[in-house]
Amino acid sequence: MEYNIDLKNFTTFGVSANAKKFATFSTEEEARNLTKNNNEALLILGGGSNVLLTQDFNGLVLKNEIKGISIIEKNNVTVVLKVGAGEEWHNFVLHTIENGYFGIENMSLIPGSVGASPMQNIGAYGVEIKDVFEKLEALEIETGEIHTFTKEACAFGYRESVFKHALKGKFIITHVYFHLSLVEKISTKYGAIEQELLKNGISNPTSKDVSNAVIAIRSSKLPNPKDLGNAGSFFKNPVVPIKLYNKIRETFSNVPSYPIDENSVKVPAGWLIESAGWKGKKIGACGVHVNQALVLVNYGGATGNDILNLSTEIIENVYQKFGIVLEREVNIL
Ligand SMILES: Cc1cc2nc3c(=O)[nH]c(=O)nc-3n(C[C@H](O)[C@H](O)[C@H](O)COP(=O)(O)OP(=O)(O)OC[C@H]3O[C@@H](n4cnc5c(N)ncnc54)[C@H](O)[C@@H]3O)c2cc1C
């Protein structure tokens, strides 16, 4: 156990915040022992790529380092893998590609840990973890018991799961099981993957080619947290009633949308923020990224509250302009 640790290097926003107590665990048993007699606030951290610390954490911060990738089942068409929650997501993706398992190559280069991936049902380029999710194991903090959660029990939605709502703060995810395909299954239709492959003269891509294309596109669009503090998309893309969408279109004929159902559409939050004039705006030490309006950045020395206040201004301004309330994707602490 360590005391009074600055969490600056433990989240990708790189903001300072003091943790009263800090420890890591690499087994379920260690996690159980650390939480058994704890009566203070508890924060579980993976890679810290989806949290914004706005104040000191007056309790115990536990960093998950449970490692290991093992085969649980394999037949001619599918493999089921059990993965330690502390494995780095991108390393896991690379492992699957090297071993000829298909299904998550489109989610290359998403920062963070495997254990946090079900928290918000991470996704990119047309794939979400719910598509390859088998089950997970999690330690119930109150009892120290391990529970298994099926896909249904996780109640996955767009950047959502039961762990962000009814079970928030109650479980530590220790292992995640994925079912992947042994039969070649490549999806290049989403975003700019196909163009990127063609640019490189690839017409019959392998999963490694798709992964490389995703890495190239992401690296060109998104700031690397090692260079510029950020947590990826700060806001979710809002689902908007069709009536409101049509009203917005009367003034902004180019507003993009993706169909959800007959009554609603999804509108890209990045477009709303950019159209409200925020792209590239810098306020003090933080701002809206110059290339991607969905990403708020810490230019160095911003506090969590600076970034939170900026996000509030954006939410209010977008509401005034379009009548749409943006919701934060990042976990605010
Ligand atoms: C540059 C960049 C790009 C990104 N792109 C994407 C993207 O394309 N798609 C996408 O979906 N996300 C994206 N993200 C967001 C982020 O990568 C994911 O949300 C990721 O899953 C967070 O993992 P983490 O280990 O860093 O979680 P953390 O930030 O450490 O934690 C996130 C939340 O989960 C909780 N938590 C973490 N681990 C556990 C556990 N084992 N048990 C219980 N609770 C836990 C934490 O308490 C916290 O509430 C991006 C982030 C960045 C910085």
Side-chain angles (χ1 to χ4, degrees):
M1 183 83 65
E2 293 176 82
Y3 296 87
N4 292 319
I5 293 288
D6 186 356
L7 294 173
K8 191 171 190 243
N9 295 326
F10 289 96
T11 76
T12 56
F13 257 125
V15 296
S16 274
N18 185 68
K20 184 174 164 195
K21 295 180 182 173
F22 181 92
T24 59
F25 60 91
S26 46
T27 63
E28 286 168 359
E29 200 49 37
E30 282 176 15
R32 185 177 291 116
N33 289 336
L34 281 161
T35 49
K36 197 161 56 186
N37 297 318
N38 175 55
N39 44 23
E40 298 189 273
L42 183 66
L43 169 62
I44 309 300
L45 266 190
S49 62
N50 204 19
V51 291
L52 177 64
L53 299 165
T54 59
Q55 54 191 320
D56 291 339
F57 194 77
N58 192 24
L60 172 62
V61 176
L62 289 182
K63 183 159 160 49
N64 187 336
E65 291 187 352
I66 299 178
K67 302 283 188 206
I69 304 176
S70 51
I71 297 176
I72 297 299
E73 270 174 58
K74 195 173 180 186
N75 56 32
N76 289 336
V77 286
T78 324
V79 62
V80 176
L81 299 174
K82 175 182 182 181
V83 188
E87 287 286 345
E88 217 177 283
W89 173 263
H90 181 60
N91 286 345
F92 169 53
V93 174
L94 294 180
H95 172 93
T96 65
I97 293 168
E98 274 156 28
N99 286 279
Y101 311 147
F102 298 86
I104 54 174
E105 51 284 341
N106 291 32
M107 292 195 280
S108 295
L109 213 63
I110 297 182
S113 61
V114 165
S117 65
M119 293 294 298
Q120 68 155 10
N121 178 28
I122 61 166
Y125 294 96
V127 185
E128 293 179 322
I129 79 141
K130 74 167 172 39
D131 304 328
V132 290
F133 181 89
E134 181 79 13
K135 62 180 180 182
L136 66 75
E137 287 163 0
L139 179 92
E140 190 177 17
I141 293 163
E142 202 178 313
T143 61
E145 282 167 15
I146 297 289
H147 290 234
T148 300
F149 290 82
T150 61
K151 185 164 144 179
E152 289 68 34
C154 291
F156 291 126
Y158 164 59
R159 301 297 168 269
E160 289 295 354
S161 76
V162 71
F163 300 103
K164 284 181 79 174
H165 297 282
L167 301 184
K168 191 173 177 174
K170 295 197 184 317
F171 284 88
I172 301 176
I173 296 169
T174 55
H175 293 94
V176 188
Y177 293 67
F178 299 93
H179 59 84
L180 298 169
S181 178
L182 298 175
V183 183
E184 191 177 82
K185 235 179 165 182
I186 301 275
S187 158
T188 61
K189 292 284 169 247
Y190 209 93
I193 298 180
E194 213 157 48
Q195 283 152 266
E196 181 66 28
L197 289 165
L198 286 176
K199 196 174 93 187
N200 296 313
I202 299 166
S203 52
N204 195 9
T206 62
S207 59
K208 182 76 184 159
D209 293 328
V210 173
S211 169
N212 286 340
V214 168
I215 291 171
I217 301 164
R218 291 182 69 101
S219 306
S220 71
K221 279 192 356 191
L222 290 169
N224 183 341
K226 289 194 178 111
D227 307 325
L228 195 57
N230 77 90
S233 304
F234 198 92
F235 303 96
K236 289 171 146 185
N237 292 318
V239 174
V240 174
I242 208 91
K243 245 175 137 179
L244 174 58
Y245 171 72
N246 286 336
K247 194 166 157 248
I248 295 169
R249 243 179 42 171
E250 285 170 15
T251 319
F252 303 91
S253 57
N254 60 339
V255 53
S257 69
Y258 303 95
I260 294 290
D261 53 40
E262 55 194 25
N263 299 318
S264 47
V265 291
K266 195 181 268 185
V267 177
W271 184 90
L272 295 166
I273 299 166
E274 186 174 345
S275 303
W278 286 93
K279 192 172 171 182
K281 239 189 201 175
K282 196 173 168 192
I283 294 184
C286 61
V288 179
H289 191 244
V290 282
N291 296 330
Q292 175 52 268
L294 208 45
V295 177
L296 302 191
V297 293
N298 174 9
Y299 287 103
T303 65
N305 273 313
D306 293 337
I307 297 165
L308 181 65
N309 291 340
L310 171 63
S311 72
T312 304
E313 271 193 66
I314 293 171
I315 291 171
E316 284 172 1
N317 190 230
V318 164
Y319 179 69
Q320 277 163 10
K321 200 155 178 154
F322 300 104
I324 294 176
V325 181
L326 290 180
E327 204 185 313
R328 297 179 183 93
E329 178 180 315
V330 171
N331 298 281
I332 311 292
L333 289 162

